[in-house]
Amino acid sequence: MMARGGQNRSSAVMAQRAEAHDSLDDFPTPPWAGRALCQFLRGQLLQYLQLVDVREPAANRGHLVRVLAEHFREVIASDVHDYGAGFPLHDYLMPVQDEVRVAWTITNPPYRLAEGFIARALACSGVGVAMLVRTSFLEGAGRFTRLYDVTPPTHVLQFSERVVMHKGTLSEHGSTATSYAWVIWFKPHIGKPTQLHWIGTGARKRLTRAGDYPEDGMAVIEGVVALSADLQGKSPDGQRAPSDEGTLA
């Protein structure tokens, strides 16, 4: 539907992405957006990511999980809903006794639950947290008081190109008026001034790989750790990942 003056007010492109209170907020993450984050982290941490684990608690159909598996030693994936990818079902906001701390937590959280996801991730991630959120998530007096004034992010990684997300499906085509950014908390540097970075133009083309957009919508993933071992307080090799090392400029 075109509004007066020619503005496209379709819900597919408007910046306001309204979801019902009980919605699953099913917007799969384009793989190139995940690679942009990992590239940034690897640029700061060199080969460090290959030595540690990462949790993806809103794994959806596995597209971000697949990207994380390209860069991290282990990926621990789960979701509150079964999207058909075979991940264990787990409500990330429900505390688990003796839950192991992972090095990183990286996800595209449900928008209305993002603050809760951030708080939980900061509590059980030893090195860092990265959340893919609408840029407008940086706004809000209440959110500033509850989150940013108390625990400011160490880095904001803003996309210069739009990250197109479609409800319920992954497609390399389409447009959007919604702006996204990765908001990062690198725990050794929490308390220092927040650094703003940009993901430059051309990243989408440069970081897209063959097989990123399968016809069945499901990512093909290897090397993903089952959640059950994590919930038992153990990593699959019986060791806890490093939780307090690394250098991020």
Side-chain angles (χ1 to χ4, degrees):
M1 176 180 178
M2 296 296 290
R4 181 177 299 177
Q7 182 184 10
N8 189 340
R9 300 188 63 83
S10 165
S11 61
V13 300
M14 288 300 291
Q16 181 179 0
R17 197 176 86 187
E19 290 292 297
H21 179 71
D22 59 351
S23 170
L24 291 170
D25 203 9
D26 178 11
F27 288 84
T29 306
W32 75 270
R35 290 195 186 98
L37 169 70
C38 291
Q39 184 179 75
F40 172 78
L41 295 179
R42 285 177 63 88
Q44 304 291 336
L45 298 170
L46 301 177
Q47 300 301 311
Y48 173 67
L49 296 185
Q50 296 180 346
L51 304 178
V52 300
D53 55 9
V54 59
R55 178 182 284 121
E56 215 295 38
N60 195 270
R61 294 167 182 81
H63 301 288
L64 179 57
V65 174
R66 178 191 178 199
V67 171
L68 296 176
E70 296 170 358
H71 296 273
F72 286 83
R73 178 174 65 92
E74 295 171 343
V75 184
I76 301 170
S78 65
D79 203 296
V80 72
H81 177 73
D82 182 7
Y83 289 95
F87 298 120
L89 298 181
H90 176 58
D91 186 342
Y92 185 59
L93 298 184
M94 293 295 292
V96 177
Q97 187 176 6
D98 297 326
E99 184 173 28
V100 66
R101 283 163 58 92
V102 292
W104 283 86
T105 298
I106 298 175
T107 192
N108 172 7
Y111 186 82
R112 66 182 180 84
L113 301 177
E115 287 188 54
F117 267 63
I118 292 168
R120 183 94 179 108
L122 287 172
C124 58
S125 306
V127 177
V129 171
M131 295 281 164
L132 180 61
V133 297
R134 284 179 277 176
T135 306
S136 60
F137 189 78
L138 296 172
E139 301 174 336
R143 187 173 296 119
F144 173 79
T145 300
R146 294 186 302 268
L147 176 61
Y148 299 131
D149 191 39
V150 179
T151 312
T154 56
H155 300 75
V156 174
L157 191 56
Q158 175 65 51
F159 287 91
S160 58
E161 297 175 277
R162 290 294 164 86
V163 180
V164 180
M165 297 193 211
H166 301 273
K167 185 172 184 177
T169 187
L170 183 75
S171 174
E172 59 182 323
H173 306 293
S175 61
T176 182
T178 306
S179 172
Y180 288 91
W182 283 103
V183 182
I184 304 166
W185 287 261
F186 181 60
K187 298 190 78 171
H189 288 180
I190 285 179
K192 295 183 179 180
T194 302
Q195 296 185 24
L196 176 62
H197 308 263
W198 281 268
I199 299 170
T201 57
R204 176 176 177 173
K205 181 178 181 180
R206 177 171 50 84
L207 297 174
T208 296
R209 305 285 184 266
D212 278 353
Y213 298 92
E215 292 184 3
D216 64 0
M218 297 293 176
V220 178
I221 307 164
E222 298 179 356
V224 178
V225 177
L227 181 67
S228 57
D230 184 59
L231 293 181
Q232 295 169 7
K234 302 175 183 178
S235 61
D237 61 3
Q239 300 179 355
R240 294 177 182 268
S243 61
D244 57 359
E245 56 187 271
T247 56
L248 187 62

